[in-house]
Amino acid sequence: MPALLSVRDLVKHYPIGSAFGRRAARQLRAVDGVSFDLQTGETLALVGESGCGKTTTGRMLLRLTEPTSGRIELDGEDLLGMGRTALRRRRRELQIVFQDPYASLSPRKRVEDIIAEPLDVFRLYRNKNERRERVVDLLRLVGLNAEQLRRYPFEFSGGQRQRIAIARALAPGPRLIVADEPVSALDVSIQSQVVNLMQDLQERFGIAYVFISHDLAVVRHIAHRVAVMYLGRLVELANTDVLFNAPFHPYTQALFSAAPAAGPRPRGQRIILRGDVPNPARIPTGCGFHPRCPIAAPICREQTPVLSELLPGRLAACHFARPFPIPEAADRNDPAHCETHDARSA
Amino acid sequence: MSDMAQRVVDPAAVRQPRALVGNKLTVIGALLTMTLVMVAVLGSWIAPQDPLDQSFVAASQPPSAEHWFGTDSFGRDVFSRVIIGTRASLAIGLTGPIIAALIGVWAGMLAGWFGGWTDRLLSRFSDLLMSFPTLLLGVMIAAALGPGFQTAIIAIAIALFPRFLRLARSATQVVRREPFIDASIAAGRGPVGIMLRHVAPNIAGSLIVALSLWIATAIRLEAALSFLGLGTQPPAPSWGNMIRDGMGDLVGDPWPAAFAGAAITLAVLGFNMLGDALRDMLDPELDT
Amino acid sequence: MNALLEVEDLSVHLFTPRGVVRAVDGVSFRLEAGQSLGIVGESGCGKTMTALALMRLLPSPPARIVGGHIRFNGEDIVDATDARLRQLRGSAMAMIYQDPMTTLNPVFSVGEQIAEVVRLHEHATPQAAFARAVEALHQVGIPEPDRCARAYPHQLSGGMRQRAVIAMALVCRPRLLIADEPTTALDVTIQAQILDLMRVLRDESGAAIILITHDLGVVADLVDDVAVMYAGSVVECAPVADLFAAPAHPYTQGLLRAMPSLERKLHRLPTIEGTVPSPAAMPPGCRFHPRCDLARTICRDHRPPLLGMPGRSAACWALTEFELSIAHVTAA
């Protein structure tokens, strides 16, 4: 079945240190060749830490940030080649929900006008009454009260504002919603409410999500497939259950190990990476992860691993990818491996 | 300590703009400016005497029961002249900045939104205008167009336009990065629609403050231009040209210059206070 | 024997132009020397205000301590003079905040800022103080500490900055360290590093730690006991293993259930219906009762006190019918 969304070799480079007339000395490679497909009604999660390029990728899907190169196809139609007018027509099908529920709603507009904006732009109603009815329907869909139409955003809590943002995204009837950390700014008890809402909407309307998050537990719950990003590249892509049960890439393994868990965990399996999250302006040669990788070898510095399909549906970019757990205790004394307990040399 | 049983408040509500009347500064500033506006509007009716009526006999009189502010060297009633002069000063003082704001804010939004060459051209142009001292600019324009009421307005508008442009430009650049602007782009709105619907309301706060403060400056500028003979032409009274007339005999008959000067001071003070009060009221709201 | 820190019925109110907000409403807990306590809760529960109150760093106006006692080593510091507080802060009690970028002064080098703390509390020459700073940076695991000491905050990464902030807090060997969301602003792999570091330092220095966070996962490995706060008061207090294994208070139970787990995927995440009440509309009686499955008439009429034993207690009327005993917990 042809994919709803097809992304190939998406790249975003920012020139650093350019002056008028002079070419840039270096490039900040925010996104460095990302490819994936998305089916109708599927949720693909993009996970990674700061600087990995997941937010930039999400923005490029809507052309809020213009890609440097690559292809994005929606139903087979190339989004990047389109002119502005054609693109605007397609915007009905691609919507976005942002992380910050306080900044993503225009503070001086009433909720009704905020939600109705896509309806206004695409002229999806015949008169004011119809407009209001559609807004009321959308409010009810997201679990809010219809009487709150005329209120301003500051009168709502963070969770409620995020629901308003979701209602706005639903208004034009999109087929794909990019959700950029939609629950990260919310309290835990509210997060679960919003996550459930998003799942319900997906079941009901068949909306596909690109779910960008650093929170692995939420991702585990809502995503069908997960793509792990590091320094602008995909390092692993697989089905959620499969990935969480047996991650192949050492970065994914470290990420899972580092995620705070609800309950004390057996200490033996802790992986604590050395060093800091690197700077996308200075990507290491070869595999971008090698300076921090517990199993790095000389080849990792020389050759960039390619994202390859190790098993059907399981892609990883590593010369040595293998499932958890990490090498045996005997190998841990090898200085090439990570320090699990001594935080000093981290 | 525990008997502080007052109303418990919703912290979200605290972020709303503070009430206008609670602020003493606002009240005084508003009263002053409103009084001036009333005087300007009702001028002909409240002026006790004809401001142009000359009398050789009653020349250069100090304040008296008949002439509250005294008379000038032509025997004209200073009180009436100050009142009628308000009209000219305020008309120019308000029109000039408003025109400057209308053009400057729009240009600033365009520069701030599009960046690139649009921004470079507009910014350099406004820098060019700002490199002239305001008064000198007024003089040059008056020299080109001939002195008078319209010249003063044009001169002030040209002098203030770049300042509004800069303010609107930087405010636009800030607002442009907000997620709700991205949301509007994602909803399919074009740049002009976004600028009108989303950028303008959100930069309005600082612009209104700037406008009231620049009105105060414009009143001073008008007075200066009229003083130089380039604004309101005699015999029509204007605070500036009253001071010029009064300069001739400052020691013997200080009253015209003094009262005209006081009027200028009060007007500038009033608008400054209003501007400050508006800033106090509006800026915390921007800090959501 | 005196506990290191005894907080008794602490209340903090915010006096705003539009009324009073009861941010912290009768909070009590105890901390022994070398013990670590996690204070956990969602936004608006009052945990940060509590932490600031302990250091007497409340922004006042509008906040003020309106009642209760804070006894540090037996000394009540609620009424302490500014001079005495200055003596205590930095040397006996230290605090680290969430965002290391704003905690560090951008125009001074990291070493200078740490040295400043040393000079404030001990008689040391600038050179000696700087040497102490370098030593402190080394102890928090920063490679090339002398180079780092000469660097400015913006030249360091987030994780390095937070380590520097920890070094600054620990350089005078305080007895009490308060950490307010120290890892929230950091990436998860860096967070793991910092938590690991804090565990090591806790063991080595013997300082008592109060860790404030909204993330239950963070406290799991680092603290001995946990106090859960909701809408301004403590609703449950327990040793960490007991809290996760057998939470007593319905809010704690709901919170643990609502956290999606890495281990299994459920069809629907359990939620706690409703939202945290705004201080303008605090429900009468137990503040959690509108969202609670077990709510009964008494919950609406009377606020439950913290019942149980010191160290294992919860504020819930439903629990008066069950025993909060060790047996109940070890069965899990």
Side-chain angles (χ1 to χ4, degrees):
Chain A
M1 197 177 99
L4 171 68
L5 184 75
S6 177
V7 176
R8 292 283 173 271
D9 300 318
L10 200 57
V11 168
K12 180 66 184 172
H13 289 169
Y14 293 100
I16 320 173
S18 64
F20 190 62
R22 225 181 53 200
R23 294 287 294 284
R26 269 193 350 256
Q27 299 280 346
L28 189 151
R29 298 175 8 212
V31 178
D32 211 14
V34 164
S35 308
F36 58 84
D37 284 341
L38 185 67
Q39 304 294 335
T40 308
E42 179 188 21
T43 301
L44 172 71
L46 288 182
V47 302
E49 296 174 298
S50 54
C52 73
K54 56 191 196 294
T55 297
T56 311
T57 304
R59 289 176 61 96
M60 285 199 280
L61 295 180
L62 268 73
R63 283 181 66 180
L64 288 174
T65 304
E66 286 293 341
T68 309
S69 70
R71 259 183 101 71
I72 303 176
E73 282 177 18
L74 184 68
D75 270 342
E77 206 182 326
D78 179 21
L79 285 179
L80 298 179
M82 281 185 200
R84 285 276 155 187
T85 347
L87 177 67
R88 234 178 269 167
R89 256 183 282 124
R90 293 297 255 174
R91 286 206 183 282
R92 274 193 70 179
E93 309 180 46
L94 293 163
Q95 286 295 310
I96 185 164
V97 174
F98 296 95
Q99 173 175 4
D100 185 350
Y102 295 89
S104 61
L105 304 179
S106 187
R108 286 165 206 268
K109 295 250 172 297
R110 294 178 204 272
V111 165
E112 180 179 13
D113 297 321
I114 292 175
I115 296 181
E117 183 160 30
L119 302 174
D120 295 334
V121 170
F122 295 110
R123 284 181 267 263
L124 295 176
Y125 52 85
R126 280 168 302 208
N127 52 53
K128 282 203 78 169
N129 281 333
E130 217 180 284
R131 179 187 193 253
R132 176 160 292 195
E133 268 174 42
R134 295 194 63 155
V135 173
V136 167
D137 284 339
L138 287 163
L139 277 175
R140 292 221 185 93
L141 262 180
V142 299
L144 287 174
N145 227 320
E147 285 100 55
Q148 297 171 319
L149 271 183
R150 306 291 296 158
R151 302 242 184 115
Y152 287 92
F154 70 81
E155 300 180 57
F156 295 88
S157 70
Q160 291 172 317
R161 288 192 213 203
Q162 208 59 321
R163 291 175 191 261
I164 295 170
I166 292 174
R168 173 178 58 192
L170 283 177
R175 299 172 61 204
L176 167 65
I177 293 183
V178 174
D180 188 359
E181 308 259 18
V183 295
S184 304
L186 306 176
D187 284 324
V188 170
S189 56
I190 311 297
Q191 278 187 15
S192 44
Q193 292 177 11
V194 175
V195 167
N196 283 341
L197 170 66
M198 289 180 74
Q199 277 190 304
D200 289 341
L201 292 170
Q202 181 174 63
E203 276 169 26
R204 192 160 162 181
F205 297 109
I207 304 175
Y209 292 127
V210 174
F211 195 91
I212 300 173
S213 179
H214 66 276
D215 186 338
L216 294 168
V218 170
V219 161
R220 165 121 218 200
H221 185 77
I222 195 178
H224 298 106
R225 282 191 303 147
V226 178
V228 181
M229 289 184 70
Y230 189 82
L231 279 184
R233 300 199 186 119
L234 286 186
V235 297
E236 188 158 9
L237 175 59
N239 256 333
T240 312
D241 287 332
V242 166
L243 185 74
F244 276 81
N245 283 331
F248 279 170
H249 196 283
Y251 175 63
T252 316
Q253 293 166 356
L255 209 55
F256 288 0
S257 173
R265 226 189 327 211
R267 292 282 228 100
Q269 288 169 18
R270 223 30 185 316
I271 304 172
I272 301 196
L273 293 177
R274 256 189 297 224
D276 287 306
V277 180
N279 186 347
R282 284 180 211 282
I283 298 189
T285 55
C287 172
F289 185 58
H290 84 257
R292 303 172 79 198
C293 182
I295 57 173
I299 186 181
C300 303
R301 202 174 349 139
E302 292 150 22
Q303 257 187 54
T304 309
V306 169
L307 188 70
S308 35
E309 193 158 13
L310 303 175
L311 291 175
R314 300 214 55 184
L315 290 80
C318 177
H319 298 299
F320 303 109
R322 67 191 110 152
F324 215 23
I326 239 351
E328 294 306 318
D331 296 332
R332 285 222 197 99
N333 292 323
D334 187 335
H337 295 286
C338 66
E339 320 282 333
T340 48
H341 295 291
D342 186 354
R344 293 264 171 139
S345 41
Chain B
M1 283 193 287
S2 51
D3 57 4
M4 295 270 198
Q6 283 143 9
R7 275 175 15 255
V8 168
V9 80
D10 179 4
V14 178
R15 278 187 237 122
Q16 266 175 312
R18 276 202 285 274
L20 195 48
V21 267
N23 201 328
K24 272 191 226 136
L25 211 58
T26 325
V27 173
I28 299 177
L31 276 177
L32 261 178
T33 49
M34 276 196 311
T35 313
L36 286 166
V37 170
M38 294 308 299
V39 167
V41 167
L42 300 175
S44 321
W45 290 278
I46 52 180
Q49 299 175 23
D50 184 351
L52 301 178
D53 194 16
Q54 303 190 10
S55 161
F56 187 63
V57 171
S60 301
Q61 300 277 310
S64 62
E66 200 193 331
H67 299 283
W68 290 351
F69 283 3
T71 58
D72 67 0
S73 54
F74 291 103
R76 299 176 290 201
D77 178 30
V78 174
F79 183 61
S80 306
R81 284 183 70 81
V82 168
I83 288 180
I84 300 298
T86 312
R87 195 177 276 179
S89 300
L90 275 191
I92 297 175
L94 286 169
T95 319
I98 289 177
I99 295 178
L102 287 173
I103 306 178
V105 167
W106 188 238
M109 281 204 292
L110 289 174
W113 181 271
F114 289 110
W117 277 105
T118 320
D119 183 13
R120 283 192 202 119
L121 284 173
L122 284 169
S123 294
R124 293 296 92 81
F125 177 59
S126 88
D127 285 346
L128 188 68
L129 285 178
M130 279 204 294
S131 61
F132 290 97
T134 346
L135 202 49
L136 191 57
L137 200 56
V139 169
M140 286 161 55
I141 293 173
L145 300 174
F149 185 81
Q150 279 105 335
T151 309
I153 293 182
I154 294 174
I156 291 175
I158 293 182
L160 293 182
F161 147 84
R163 285 147 175 98
F164 283 105
L165 188 152
R166 290 184 97 183
L167 197 56
R169 173 180 172 271
S170 55
T172 303
Q173 286 174 331
V174 168
V175 169
R176 196 162 154 260
R177 299 196 201 313
E178 295 285 329
F180 65 82
I181 299 285
D182 278 334
S184 197
I185 298 177
R189 259 223 219 272
V192 172
I194 296 180
M195 281 193 272
L196 282 175
R197 276 186 176 69
H198 292 284
V199 178
N202 281 291
I203 64 177
S206 42
L207 291 174
I208 290 177
V209 172
L211 185 63
S212 45
L213 294 173
W214 287 118
I215 288 175
T217 307
I219 293 175
R220 261 192 309 110
L221 277 175
E222 186 282 328
L225 285 174
S226 301
F227 178 81
L228 292 173
L230 298 171
T232 314
Q233 295 298 296
S238 142
W239 296 335
N241 65 26
M242 285 173 71
I243 297 182
R244 184 208 185 99
D245 291 342
M247 288 281 288
D249 187 15
L250 208 49
V251 176
D253 180 22
W255 309 111
F259 284 111
I264 296 174
T265 309
L266 277 179
V268 170
L269 191 64
F271 278 101
N272 268 323
M273 288 172 86
L274 187 65
D276 280 346
L278 284 175
R279 175 190 290 139
D280 285 345
M281 187 189 91
L282 291 171
D283 272 352
E285 181 196 53
L286 295 174
D287 182 24
T288 345
Chain C
M1 198 198 75
N2 273 334
L4 176 70
L5 181 70
E6 256 185 87
V7 175
E8 192 186 307
D9 212 26
L10 180 66
S11 290
V12 176
H13 288 185
L14 269 66
F15 297 94
T16 70
R18 301 214 175 174
V20 180
V21 176
R22 295 198 286 265
V24 178
D25 210 359
V27 164
S28 307
F29 57 84
R30 250 175 99 92
L31 196 64
E32 306 288 339
Q35 191 194 352
S36 49
L37 170 72
I39 300 183
V40 174
E42 299 179 297
S43 51
C45 71
K47 54 192 195 299
T48 298
M49 282 289 158
T50 306
L52 291 174
L54 293 178
M55 293 279 287
R56 295 291 317 281
L57 285 173
L58 286 170
S60 66
R64 230 175 54 213
I65 299 179
V66 299
H69 302 277
I70 303 172
R71 291 193 195 90
F72 184 69
N73 266 332
E75 178 189 351
D76 193 336
I77 59 173
V78 170
D79 295 313
T81 60
D82 282 346
R84 177 66 184 140
L85 290 169
R86 278 198 294 269
Q87 276 182 328
L88 289 172
R89 290 187 199 125
S91 64
M93 315 167 69
M95 185 157 175
I96 60 184
Y97 299 85
Q98 175 174 340
D99 185 359
M101 199 57 212
T102 50
T103 319
L104 291 170
N105 192 330
V107 300
F108 290 107
S109 74
V110 166
E112 282 176 309
Q113 299 187 48
I114 302 178
E116 182 186 4
V117 178
V118 175
R119 305 248 307 279
L120 278 172
H121 295 288
E122 300 171 19
H123 297 293
T125 62
Q127 295 83 354
F130 199 83
R132 282 278 296 278
V134 173
E135 167 70 27
L137 288 173
H138 172 71
Q139 281 196 316
V140 294
I142 289 182
E144 298 182 285
D146 37 281
R147 222 183 61 157
C148 174
R150 276 174 247 280
Y152 287 86
H154 67 268
Q155 295 173 307
L156 304 176
S157 69
M160 289 296 174
R161 271 182 240 139
Q162 196 63 310
R163 288 176 192 263
V165 167
I166 295 175
M168 196 159 78
L170 292 179
V171 72
C172 289
R173 293 177 261 274
R175 298 285 83 222
L176 171 65
L177 175 66
I178 302 175
D180 188 1
E181 307 263 18
T183 56
T184 306
L186 304 173
D187 285 313
V188 77
T189 50
I190 310 299
Q191 177 172 309
Q193 286 180 5
I194 299 292
L195 289 174
D196 218 57
L197 172 69
M198 287 179 71
R199 202 186 354 255
V200 167
L201 292 174
R202 175 200 65 185
D203 293 338
E204 281 183 1
S205 69
I209 297 186
I210 296 181
L211 176 64
I212 305 200
T213 177
H214 66 280
D215 190 341
L216 274 166
V218 161
V219 293
D221 284 329
L222 195 56
V223 303
D224 303 320
D225 297 274
V226 180
V228 180
M229 283 185 73
Y230 183 81
S233 44
V234 175
V235 297
E236 183 163 2
C237 195
V240 64
D242 296 350
L243 191 84
F244 283 106
H249 194 282
Y251 174 63
T252 319
Q253 292 170 352
L255 208 56
L256 285 169
R257 270 199 310 262
M259 286 175 60
S261 101
L262 277 183
E263 317 299 312
R264 310 168 319 277
K265 172 182 162 148
L266 304 163
H267 178 62
R268 249 180 112 66
L269 284 173
T271 64
I272 307 180
E273 286 311 312
T275 52
V276 179
S278 81
M282 276 297 181
C286 170
R287 290 180 180 172
F288 186 63
H289 88 258
R291 306 174 74 186
C292 184
D293 289 334
L294 307 176
R296 291 163 313 176
T297 331
I298 187 176
C299 303
R300 197 188 53 219
D301 298 330
H302 301 282
R303 252 181 92 181
L306 209 53
L307 303 163
M309 312 171 316
R312 185 66 172 112
S313 49
C316 179
W317 291 119
L319 292 165
T320 52
E321 295 167 5
F322 308 107
E323 283 175 43
L324 282 173
S325 67
I326 307 286
H328 184 65
V329 160
T330 52

